Amino acid sequence: MAKPKELLEDKPGKEILLLANEAIARGVLEAGVRLVALYPGTPSSEIGNNLTFMAPHIPNFYFEFSTNEKVALEVAGAAAVAGVRSMMVCKGPGLNVAADPFFSLAYVGVRGGMVIVVADDPSMWSSQNENDSRYYALMGNMPMMEPADPIESKSMLLEAYKFSEELELPVLFRTTTRVNHTRAPVKFGEILPRPDKIEFEKEPFRFVPVPAVARTRHPWLLGQIEKARKLSEKSPLNFTEGKGDLGIITSGVSYDYVIEATSSMEIEAEVLKLGITHPVPEKMITDFLSRHKQVLIVEELEPYLETHARRLAHLNKVSVEILGKEQGIFSRTYEYSPRIVMDALKAVTTRNTPINWEEIDKKTKELPELPPRPPLLCAGCPHRATYYAIRAATRGKAIYPSDIGCYTLSIAPPLETADILFDMGSSITTACGLAEVTDQDIVATIGDSTFFASGLPGIANAVYNQHRICVIVLDNRTTAMTGHQPHPGTGVTGMQKHVPPLDIAEVCKGLGIRYVKTVKPFESMAGLVAEVREMVKWTRENHSPSVLVSIEPCALLTAAERQRTGESPPKYYVDSEICNACKRCLNRLSCPAMYMNPETEQAVIDETLCNLCGTCVSVCPQGAIKQEDT
Amino acid sequence: MSRINSNTVNIAITGVGGQGVLSLAEILAKAALESGFNVRVGEIHGMAQRGGHVVCTVRIGENARGPIVDPGSAHLLVGFEPIETLREIQLVKQDGCVLMSSHVQHPVAVSMGKAEYPNHKEIIKNIRNYTDRIIEFDALELAKKAGSSRALNMVMLGAIIGTGLVPVTKETAIDVVRTSFPKRFEQINVAATKFGLEKAQACKK
């Protein structure tokens, strides 16, 4: 849908339906941000997806998909140090990648306003953990704001830039999946202009934290945080609403659940909603605690606000019952819902919930067990062919280190080619470790975007330390899982400029890999299997790393291209005269476009789902799968 | 129900990643906003989308704040596929309405012989355990009739309007459909919306 164009409209007062991520992209325009750098990561992806198409139309604006989050934070950090407004965006685990510059950046501070958007993922809808990024603010002494919805995602962002400039510190802007991926009506505001090129004024004894400098900057930072606390005490982003004996402290999307829950249960309560969650307004919280006998803390994941509240109650000798995770009223895992808040309120107030959930739960338990439908590799996904070949060539006996991307879905039967995974780039490095302590063959798989993001140091490590590992780069010409962003191998930049792409095979040769080959996974299955077999053999014999680059565009890109041009190869079908119902195609490929005819037990290709890759043709021992005549 | 949700219509939409659940939710919400209502849409992206089970929510009304529709609170449960409808049946409100496409999309576990697809009677029997208001038809067939299997979600949009449970008129819905997709798909999408609407109205009677 044509969102980027709409987001550029200079129509203050116009109200449109926006995801919080789209509202943040609009906020970049309204706040006069000069530079944004990021590496895509769900649930934050749509921020970059929109900015990249907005960027060429915004005067004096630069946007880039950086190679990874550490790079992005350094690029954006430098711009803010120079004196313009900048932004870096990442998902929760992405901030871990950027942790090193994060801490230094707080020490040196910034001259232009800077915001670091971090999108946490309670319930791990698309992440490998649900780490609570709020502790970064605490550990790094960086101010933090948390919007509750798409509307606040823009309005609070504008405040964050002012806050950042007043304090000369970056502001951590923390969202969660249910904020990022909620749509709500958002009103456009005025668009601020951006400065042209500026002069970098040198100040090395601030911006180069050698020990002598860093020692002066740490007390400065703590002083700034105290200043920030005073601002936090007065800020309208922290406010109370409602009246009642019960007190509730909350922030982020939990605030919405609190309002819905108290209203549905007709509970009178005073709610303290915190928009600035570091530094917390200590006096405001202490006064709030003093006004109530019982205070419920509603926050997803770790007891962050709860610990603050307990600390402040203890420090100021406030006698109040603080209720939260410590008593097990709330969980430290997964996202919340109005129901979860209502169940807690029921426990605390003995008021009934408006819906009898126990009865519904009981009924739901009695439902028959349904066939599972987990996410899986799409029909026509080139990774399916490559993984099929890897399994066939190694008879499932090698170790298969995996990485972050769609291809992690190969964990599921029947492909079962994901054995170990930590983070971006770990396929190559875990392979290095395993190679030294086992005698098994090791075939690591990594995507093209992930290769540039975090694979390169692993390759250098494998070459130099002579680890006997096979690395297969699944090059689908895009960053697929997060919504098809470009990367250095694609030839397109964040500014939508066409540039010479980096060639993965050449990069590997340049780093000293002696065995580098390139294949096309849809060309010949027998050829693909032979290639994998050969590389495994070579690696064992030469005790050195090898790389095979398997190149074929993502099936979704291919499908979109076919839809655009209206040109499509002929359809595939199963010839029921030949098919002997052996089910090899169904059992070995798990293609979502194939199913079994329950009467004949023969395979059927669902032509509305088939993406025409033809992998099934080479898997059928009978030759029953055919392509229609042109 | 009490105050806050009394003027809010909750819709949960469930299906298989790739069927157009997310686009439907956005278009329905745009149409509601166009009609002067406050809206919230809840989506899940990324890993959760790749051919797996997906659920989206649309909440229409002054007091819709968060995106979540809890069990027992959907006025309308829209299912693009029978077992995906049953998988989320607990969301439907007592006497709420279930709108379901009967076309089966076989999960891989079934194709591999590791699970059995429940028979249709059993699915309906289990839905009836929650509500008797079921509108069911083959939406894929109507989408194909409109010109493309990909217009399945617009058939469902029309059907949602056809239930009369959502404060959006046929005209507004069709206007939003027209402006939301490339011109060359307009005819197909508008036809699909109309087919869905007529079908739901006929089923209601």
Side-chain angles (χ1 to χ4, degrees):
Chain A
M1 268 160 252
K3 270 290 158 49
K5 216 190 253 171
E6 281 178 89
L7 291 175
L8 286 165
E9 285 180 322
D10 190 9
K11 289 183 184 160
K14 184 184 171 175
E15 193 174 49
I16 73 166
L17 188 68
L18 294 183
L19 274 181
N21 284 342
E22 294 162 347
I24 290 170
R26 170 70 190 188
V28 164
L29 189 65
E30 290 182 13
V33 178
R34 179 74 178 72
L35 178 148
V36 179
L38 60 84
Y39 183 81
T42 309
S44 74
S45 306
E46 296 76 16
I47 300 173
N49 293 358
N50 282 286
L51 285 175
T52 184
F53 293 109
M54 292 161 71
H57 308 285
I58 307 174
N60 296 326
F61 179 64
Y62 177 77
F63 172 77
E64 78 171 35
F65 287 113
S66 302
T67 39
N68 67 30
E69 293 87 350
K70 176 182 181 292
V71 173
L73 186 53
E74 290 157 353
V75 168
V81 162
V84 297
R85 287 188 168 184
S86 77
M87 178 187 275
M88 181 271 192
V89 182
C90 59
K91 65 187 288 176
L95 191 55
N96 302 336
V97 175
D100 202 354
F102 181 87
F103 291 100
S104 299
L105 201 48
Y107 267 47
V108 301
V110 289
R111 289 172 177 148
M114 179 174 185
V115 169
I116 300 167
V117 178
V118 61
D120 279 351
D121 192 11
S123 282
M124 298 159 279
W125 292 103
S126 52
S127 305
Q128 65 270 41
N129 62 47
E130 53 180 350
N131 67 208
D132 190 331
S133 296
R134 292 178 297 174
Y135 290 94
Y136 272 106
L138 206 58
M139 184 159 56
N141 283 298
M142 202 175 273
M144 171 166 59
M145 291 186 187
E146 293 185 70
D149 58 26
I151 300 157
E152 281 192 354
S153 293
K154 184 166 78 66
S155 62
M156 209 181 262
L157 184 70
L158 303 182
E159 291 306 310
Y161 277 100
K162 292 183 203 155
F163 209 70
S164 168
E165 274 160 12
E166 190 156 354
L167 295 160
E168 295 181 61
L169 279 175
V171 170
L172 190 61
F173 198 74
R174 189 243 187 189
T175 60
T176 55
T177 308
R178 288 292 173 186
V179 176
N180 296 93
H181 287 162
T182 291
R183 280 179 204 278
V186 177
K187 257 200 192 105
F188 284 175
E190 305 273 352
I191 297 170
L192 278 187
R194 275 134 260 276
D196 199 349
K197 293 279 163 73
I198 55 163
E199 187 83 19
F200 176 73
E201 281 177 41
K202 296 187 179 199
E203 204 182 334
F205 289 93
R206 171 175 177 188
F207 293 117
V208 184
V210 291
V213 174
R215 281 181 202 123
T216 66
R217 297 306 293 180
H218 194 191
W220 171 84
L221 175 57
L222 296 181
Q224 293 307 95
I225 281 296
E226 278 322 299
K227 254 190 228 168
R229 197 181 307 283
K230 286 191 187 110
L231 294 176
S232 176
E233 297 283 0
K234 289 186 300 189
S235 171
L237 300 181
N238 299 324
F239 61 85
T240 58
E241 69 176 86
K243 278 200 180 87
D245 289 339
L246 179 68
I248 301 175
I249 301 178
T250 185
S251 70
V253 74
S254 301
Y255 164 68
D256 283 333
Y257 305 153
V258 165
I259 297 300
E260 289 186 17
T262 50
S263 178
S264 291
M265 291 171 75
E266 297 183 356
I267 287 173
E268 309 265 303
E270 190 189 14
V271 178
L272 171 56
K273 196 265 192 187
L274 296 175
I276 302 173
T277 45
H278 185 67
V280 291
E282 294 191 341
K283 186 169 177 309
M284 196 178 190
I285 294 175
T286 307
D287 290 348
F288 186 84
L289 294 173
S290 311
R291 285 202 292 277
H292 300 280
K293 283 202 187 78
Q294 278 190 319
V295 171
L296 186 68
I297 317 282
V298 188
E299 58 183 328
E300 291 171 325
L301 301 178
E302 299 300 318
Y304 172 88
L305 295 174
E306 187 175 332
T307 306
H308 272 305
R310 291 186 193 285
R311 177 177 68 84
L312 291 169
H314 179 78
L315 206 62
N316 299 303
K317 301 188 176 60
V318 179
S319 155
V320 55
E321 194 183 8
I322 295 170
L323 302 161
K325 297 175 208 267
E326 299 285 356
Q327 296 94 338
I329 294 171
F330 283 110
S331 167
R332 284 170 63 180
T333 54
Y334 316 141
E335 63 181 17
Y336 291 177
S337 63
R339 177 197 172 164
I340 287 173
V341 179
M342 284 190 238
D343 280 337
L345 284 170
K346 184 181 171 183
V348 172
T349 64
T350 68
R351 290 289 276 271
N352 251 329
T353 57
I355 295 172
N356 186 343
W357 280 304
E358 275 164 30
E359 195 186 306
I360 295 177
D361 288 348
K362 204 173 137 233
K363 227 169 20 178
T364 306
K365 267 202 194 106
E366 287 162 10
L367 283 175
E369 201 181 323
L370 296 175
R373 191 167 340 235
L376 39 99
L377 297 175
C378 303
C381 176
H383 303 336
R384 178 175 286 105
T386 310
Y387 279 121
Y388 178 85
I390 292 172
R391 250 198 109 72
T394 55
R395 286 171 295 129
K397 287 192 175 138
I399 308 173
Y400 309 107
S402 190
D403 225 301
I404 305 276
C406 299
Y407 40 92
T408 322
L409 295 172
S410 74
I411 186 174
L415 298 172
E416 295 171 295
T417 32
D419 290 325
I420 177 169
L421 167 71
F422 298 150
D423 63 325
M424 293 282 287
S426 72
S427 58
I428 299 171
T429 41
T430 54
C432 292
L434 291 166
E436 295 308 310
V437 296
T438 75
D439 270 329
Q440 290 156 277
D441 293 321
I442 300 163
V443 183
T445 47
I446 183 168
D448 41 348
S449 186
T450 309
F451 176 83
F452 287 111
S454 282
L456 293 169
I459 292 285
N461 187 66
V463 170
Y464 187 69
N465 293 306
Q466 301 183 328
H467 294 299
R468 43 150 204 102
I469 63 169
C470 301
V471 177
I472 297 183
V473 183
L474 303 163
D475 184 354
N476 62 359
R477 315 301 304 142
T478 188
T479 316
M481 178 60 91
T482 47
H484 301 104
Q485 296 82 0
H487 61 68
T490 60
V492 180
T493 69
M495 294 300 289
Q496 293 298 312
K497 207 169 115 188
H498 290 264
V499 294
L502 275 66
D503 183 312
I504 294 176
E506 290 304 316
V507 166
C508 290
K509 284 180 201 161
L511 281 170
I513 301 262
R514 287 185 288 139
Y515 184 108
V516 180
K517 282 194 171 189
T518 297
V519 288
K520 287 187 159 286
F522 292 157
E523 235 168 50
S524 150
M525 183 52 78
L528 192 58
V529 174
E531 283 292 354
V532 178
R533 220 175 261 146
E534 192 197 319
M535 92 184 285
V536 171
K537 186 166 169 266
W538 185 92
T539 304
R540 209 186 295 138
E541 285 169 3
N542 290 275
H543 208 91
S544 295
S546 58
V547 171
L548 182 68
V549 189
S550 181
I551 306 175
E552 180 65 37
C554 169
L556 300 179
L557 292 182
T558 306
E561 180 65 12
R562 285 186 189 133
Q563 205 172 22
R564 199 182 59 78
T565 60
E567 283 171 25
S568 214
K571 287 170 183 158
Y572 290 92
Y573 67 100
V574 178
D575 187 335
S576 57
E577 297 286 306
I578 303 174
C579 173
N580 66 353
C582 75
K583 305 188 190 72
R584 188 184 169 98
C585 54
L586 298 171
N587 290 335
R588 298 279 178 91
L589 284 179
S590 64
C591 175
M594 297 189 92
Y595 63 95
M596 188 184 74
N597 178 333
E599 272 144 43
T600 64
E601 296 208 350
Q602 287 174 317
V604 186
I605 294 173
D606 183 336
E607 61 176 63
T608 65
L609 298 174
C610 176
N611 271 322
L612 310 165
C613 71
T615 303
C616 53
V617 174
S618 47
V619 169
C620 177
Q622 304 299 317
I625 304 178
K626 296 175 176 171
Q627 198 165 17
E628 285 175 2
D629 294 331
T630 37
Chain B
M1 224 167 102
S2 47
R3 283 179 297 165
I4 195 146
N5 293 325
S6 57
N7 63 353
T8 303
V9 184
N10 295 325
I11 303 132
I13 308 167
T14 166
V16 182
Q19 283 187 317
V21 171
L22 260 62
S23 316
L24 166 59
E26 184 178 357
I27 288 174
L28 177 61
K30 267 167 92 173
L33 182 64
E34 199 72 23
S35 311
F37 292 94
N38 172 47
V39 280
R40 291 292 183 276
V41 180
E43 306 177 358
I44 287 297
H45 298 201
M47 185 69 113
Q49 268 174 284
R50 296 283 178 265
H53 164 70
V54 283
V55 194
C56 247
T57 58
V58 179
R59 306 186 67 206
I60 305 172
E62 203 185 328
N63 292 320
R65 312 228 4 181
I68 289 184
V69 172
D70 273 316
S73 41
H75 297 80
L76 177 60
L77 173 66
V78 181
F80 279 50
E81 206 275 351
I83 60 163
E84 299 317 320
T85 312
L86 187 53
R87 213 187 292 281
E88 295 301 331
I89 191 64
Q90 77 285 355
L91 294 180
V92 81
K93 204 171 147 57
Q94 208 174 2
D95 303 320
C97 178
V98 172
L99 172 65
M100 175 174 109
S101 172
S102 57
H103 183 84
V104 170
Q105 191 166 321
H106 298 267
V108 163
V110 171
S111 311
M112 289 173 68
K114 296 208 167 144
E116 224 172 287
Y117 198 98
N119 76 43
H120 193 73
K121 258 197 199 143
E122 191 174 335
I123 292 172
I124 297 294
K125 191 190 92 195
N126 279 293
I127 292 177
R128 284 199 193 283
N129 237 337
Y130 290 79
T131 180
D132 282 327
R133 291 170 68 196
I134 306 173
I135 299 175
E136 191 203 0
F137 59 89
D138 186 338
L140 188 71
E141 195 185 286
L142 291 181
K144 285 181 181 165
K145 194 175 134 197
S148 166
S149 60
R150 295 172 60 97
L152 174 69
N153 56 352
M154 292 303 102
V155 174
M156 298 311 275
L157 173 72
I160 292 170
I161 309 298
T163 63
L165 292 170
V166 174
V168 175
T169 62
K170 175 184 170 185
E171 290 70 28
T172 310
I174 288 176
D175 275 350
V176 173
V177 170
R178 277 188 216 283
T179 54
S180 298
F181 295 100
K183 207 80 193 146
R184 63 208 152 99
F185 301 123
E186 182 179 314
Q187 219 182 341
I188 293 173
N189 283 320
V190 170
T193 309
K194 284 181 179 163
F195 289 156
L197 190 135
E198 284 156 15
K199 192 76 187 181
Q201 282 173 337
C203 288
K204 253 193 341 184
K205 278 168 196 158

